[in-house]
Amino acid sequence: MYRTNTCGELTMKNVGQQVTLCGWLQRSRDLGGMTFVDLRDRYGITQLAFNMDTNPALCEQARRLGREYVIQATGTVIERASKNSKIPTGDIEIEVSQLTVLNESKTPPFTIEDNSDGGDDIRMKYRYLDIRRSPVRRNLELRHRMAMLVRNYLSNLDFLEIETPMLIKSTPEGARDFVVPSRMNPGEFYALPQSPQQYKQLLMVAGMDRYFQIVRCFRDEDLRADRQPEFTQIDCEMSFVHQEDILNTFEGLAKHLFHELKGLDFTQFPRITWHDAMRLYGSDKPDIRFGMRFVELNVVAKGAGFALFDNAELVVGINAEGCAEYTRKQLDALTDFVKKPQVGAGGLVYIKYNTDGTFKSSVDKFFSQDSLQLFAQQFNAHPGDLMLILCGPAMKTRVQLSALRLEMASRLGLRNPDVYAPLWVVDFPLLEWDEETQRYYAMHHPFTAPKPEDESFLDDPSRWGDIRANAYDIVINGVEVGGGSIRIHDRTLQNKMFHTLGFTDQSAAAQFGFLMDAFTYGAPPHAGLAFGFDRLCSLFGGADSIRDFIAFPKNNSGRDVMSGSPAPISQEQLDELHIALTPQN
Ligand code: ASP
């Protein structure tokens, strides 16, 4: 037997037992008469003790072991003299009688301990060593546990996990496809799925009325922070359901995860329309762990001769409670923040509501104390508060204020990762105008159904921007963790939608013909959604980065620095694939 126990389980109960453990040497301490070794495996750390007096040869052997050597040790469990209350095995140690080196190790390039001395890059290059560290290991354990909870929960609700192909024809989710050349079909390419969207809809036509899949998806996007070119979704679809059924089913799943993993129980998740989310938070994924809702100020701000306000489409602000004492320096820092190119505001107006009831603002020249009082009333502000105001084109300004709202919340410590505030954002716009290409795109994807009451607007291009979709996102702590929609199951409406999006009959048929054909054979009403599984894991793990929850992630330029991919391929392979590279200079 290689081992009788793991390194994480022996306690005072086991004292006196003869055991054999295997693992990696995390650290050793040579105290002259005694040598101690911390032996680590996936389950924990157990101390091995070697006594110079009773077994000098073995002790000598132990002293020669290097870090990360793989060893097997047999001995007796004994009570420790100096206990370590920080680890479960801290009351005992193994008095070793036999030691075998199973494999040696080069000195690792960073310390494999909870707080490693290795930077991000080196840890990614040697990710297999990084995973030996318990914080990373714990993240992967959490991910596994979540996958099991999801599978069981959905399976109990009669969902079937069905695999869909990876080599497919393009599915539009708004990103570029990764493509795979076909050797057998020269000049033709598969796409890797951006999502299984069309296949899951076909499964509904096929009568598999509750589908899910924990599935890898691929999107060739410019990598913004915390995106991965390949990522995992919990992809779901249901037939014969209304939006209400979908929201309830998947809210149920989210609640189940909160209950099992965090011991938290929620009543109904709040719901907010996209329109209100933008108006009150300037974001379609509002962080509602805290208030600081937007207050619109046009009525009190305009007409005082302050040109910036007078000419702005919208004057809007937030009230930072208790921040009237902010210093010049702190206010300057906030101004610098909103002026950063990533935020893009022209400037920041502040009004301090001093504790003595007077006001001090950056626009005192234009507004009397009485006028500032009117602002305070709009904000429902109290003495001691600080009102922060932006102005400009409505949507742009809201988005800028949203950044300031989050910044203020961070400064005020209101974004506690242990507090969870989930909500649904519903009634997304169906279409989104793109300035660059001067046309509308599907905000979610082209299979999303308009709200029946807005459907007639499809006939009037001037109203396209007003069409609301039966589309919804689930948001937790300002992070979009999932989204979906009611699908169009009617061929005529789907065709109309394709035309709206600029497809001709031919181009729609070439791209989506198979789905459209399927819809002529009795497509049931259906709807679904997908959770971003990596993101959900990072949220439950209380970390910001999804990379920490992926065993072998890519870096910010989409590279796997460990294996060195992407990489060139041989001329022979290129020839076989009928690919001629154009020289790059
Ligand atoms: N396929 C969609 C996505 O990846 C989710 C859905 O509509 O079900 O965002």
Side-chain angles (χ1 to χ4, degrees), residues 164-165 168-174 177 191-206 211 213 219 233 235-237 445-448 487-488 494 498 503 507-519 526:
T164 51
I168 68 165
K169 196 162 164 168
S170 169
T171 283
E173 294 281 358
D177 290 321
L192 299 178
Q194 291 185 35
S195 83
Q197 185 61 37
Q198 289 166 80
Y199 285 95
K200 67 174 172 176
Q201 295 195 240
L202 290 168
L203 286 169
M204 296 303 111
V205 181
Y211 144 94
Q213 186 181 187
R219 295 184 191 177
Q233 287 189 340
D235 190 45
C236 309
E237 196 76 8
H445 49 58
F447 315 111
T448 293
R487 323 300 183 189
I488 300 170
Q494 185 68 70
F498 284 146
F503 286 96
S507 61
Q511 221 187 325
F512 309 114
F514 66 108
L515 187 67
M516 293 301 87
D517 277 349
F519 279 14
H526 60 288

Side-chain angles (χ1 to χ4, degrees), residues 123-132 552 562:
R123 286 191 292 106
M124 284 303 152
K125 177 142 192 240
Y126 298 93
R127 183 65 165 172
Y128 44 88
L129 297 180
D130 198 26
I131 295 174
R132 286 187 194 163
F552 298 104
M562 184 186 64

Side-chain angles (χ1 to χ4, degrees), residues 144-162:
H144 163 79
R145 186 148 175 241
M146 287 180 68
M148 296 300 284
L149 287 169
V150 167
R151 287 207 161 90
N152 287 332
Y153 186 86
L154 292 176
S155 179
N156 285 336
L157 291 178
D158 281 335
F159 281 80
L160 297 180
E161 183 162 26
I162 304 175

